[in-house]
């Protein structure tokens, strides 16, 4: 009567009786002898072995590898445990990342953009940019991140720095207002000149225009980003075309609409 039954052993370890018998069949745990009453009694040695097998199996170690692992010398066993721990840590990190992705799905912006970009969009709202302009910026950034992922983080850095400049913010707000102007409005040329001059006088801000372009191997891809949301013949389209023309005249490379 020294020991516990297979059912009690299974409950202690946290597996089913069927699983314990499977471990016996694979030779992972030696099946104890029957007592005088005909029951197999599991002592502390068998229970420890069951716990070891179950723990390693739960950690992802294939059953075929558990036997040799438990029977190895202490140094090899310790090294193997370290390797199992490393794999477990990687799995945990992956699961945490998946959980975070699920949480981000609840927020449409965070499902598509990094936290830095979302914070910048909120900052634009705080600076007084209208909701439709912030939404258009968001869509443009999603496109930029998809087309030029390797340069997007640097692009956000350039935007962050530029938003510290009140003159830049004022010009961009003015450009936002210009979206409601008629395409032939004389103010468009003056605004385009002011924006181009600001970029030329502030090379760090100019990287907002040239940074992604430098990472883009096709002019068509650049135009998808730079002219996202523009309507042909609109005040916005005319203004951007004038700015790009002035930058080209100053020696700043900007792909032309007709290049591929």
């Amino acid at each position: 009567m020294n020991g516990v039954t297979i059912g009690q052993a299974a409950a202690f370890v946290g597996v089913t009786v069927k699983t314990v018998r499977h471990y016996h069949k694979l030779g992972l745990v030696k099946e104890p002898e029957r007592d005088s009453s005909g029951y197999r009694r599991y002592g502390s040695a068998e229970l420890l072995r069951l716990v070891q097998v179950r723990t390693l199996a739960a950690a992802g170690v294939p059953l075929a590898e558990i036997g040799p692992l438990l029977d190895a010398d202490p140094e090899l066993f310790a090294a193997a445990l370290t390797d199992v721990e490393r794999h477990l840590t990687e799995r945990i990190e992956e699961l945490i990342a998946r959980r975070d992705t699920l949480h981000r799905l609840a927020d449409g912006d965070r499902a598509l953009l990094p936290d830095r970009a979302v914070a910048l969009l909120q900052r634009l709202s705080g600076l007084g940019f209208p909701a439709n302009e912030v939404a258009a910026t968001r869509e443009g950034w999603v496109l930029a991140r998809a087309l030029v992922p390797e340069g997007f983080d640097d692009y956000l850095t350039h935007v962050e720095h530029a938003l510290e400049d009140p003159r830049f913010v004022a010009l961009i707000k003015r450009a936002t207002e210009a979206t409601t102007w008629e395409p032939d409005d004389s103010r468009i040329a003056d605004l385009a000149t002011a924006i181009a001059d600001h970029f030329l006088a502030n090379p760090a801000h100019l990287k907002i225009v040239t940074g992604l372009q430098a990472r883009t191997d096709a002019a068509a891809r650049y135009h998808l980003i730079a002219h996202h949301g523009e309507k042909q013949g609109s005040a916005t389209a005319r203004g951007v075309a004038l700015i790009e023309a002035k930058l080209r005249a100053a020696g700043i490379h900007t792909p032309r609409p007709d290049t591929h």
Side-chain angles (χ1 to χ4, degrees):
M1 301 295 292
N2 185 23
V4 298
T5 64
I6 187 172
Q8 292 168 328
F12 177 82
V13 177
V15 296
T16 65
V17 170
K18 182 178 180 180
T19 298
V20 173
R21 287 181 174 141
H22 186 58
Y23 291 165
H24 289 324
K25 183 178 180 180
L26 294 177
L28 298 176
V29 180
K30 184 178 178 181
E31 198 170 21
E33 298 294 332
R34 297 183 184 275
D35 64 11
S36 58
S37 300
Y39 292 100
R40 296 188 187 279
R41 296 288 176 174
Y42 292 75
S44 60
E46 291 81 17
L47 290 175
L48 175 59
R49 182 80 174 195
L50 282 170
V51 169
Q52 291 173 328
V53 172
R54 187 251 185 188
T55 301
L56 290 172
V61 179
L63 292 179
E65 298 177 12
I66 291 177
L69 181 61
L70 291 176
D71 296 332
D73 62 67
E75 289 186 4
L76 288 176
F77 181 66
L81 286 184
T82 299
D83 192 50
V84 172
E85 181 180 1
R86 179 176 59 81
H87 284 298
L88 271 179
T89 300
E90 292 174 354
R91 286 175 59 192
I92 290 170
E93 292 173 350
E94 180 184 354
L95 289 173
I96 290 174
R98 290 183 182 180
R99 182 195 63 189
D100 291 344
T101 300
L102 284 176
H103 289 168
R104 295 174 76 90
L105 286 177
D107 184 329
D109 287 344
R110 284 187 167 82
L112 299 171
L113 293 170
D115 289 340
R116 284 183 68 196
V118 175
L120 275 174
L121 291 174
Q122 294 171 345
R123 187 174 174 187
L124 289 176
S125 296
L127 288 171
F129 285 88
N132 63 329
E133 180 63 22
V134 175
T137 299
R138 172 191 177 276
E139 292 182 10
W141 287 0
V142 170
L143 185 62
R145 189 189 185 203
L147 293 176
V148 196
E150 67 281 4
F152 189 66
D153 196 56
D154 288 342
Y155 170 79
L156 292 180
T157 298
H158 302 324
V159 174
E160 286 171 343
H161 292 166
L163 290 180
E164 297 292 339
D165 186 335
R167 171 64 175 165
F168 176 82
V169 173
L171 285 170
I172 300 306
K173 281 187 176 181
R174 184 65 169 163
T176 299
E177 296 173 6
T179 60
T180 62
W181 298 351
E182 293 297 325
D184 58 354
D185 194 309
S186 60
R187 294 174 294 176
I188 295 176
D190 292 336
L191 178 59
T193 297
I195 292 175
D197 288 346
H198 179 85
F199 278 137
L200 293 172
N202 297 271
H205 296 179
L206 180 60
K207 290 180 180 179
I208 294 176
V209 178
T210 61
L212 288 179
Q213 169 195 318
R215 305 283 190 124
T216 306
D217 57 4
R221 188 183 302 179
Y222 164 77
H223 284 289
L224 278 174
I225 299 171
H227 300 273
H228 170 74
E230 287 182 10
K231 293 183 179 179
Q232 189 174 6
S234 66
T236 299
R238 183 186 169 210
V240 172
L242 287 172
I243 293 170
E244 291 181 342
K246 291 179 183 297
L247 292 178
R248 288 190 204 100
I252 305 301
H253 173 69
T254 304
R256 298 179 180 275
D258 57 349
T259 58
H260 300 284

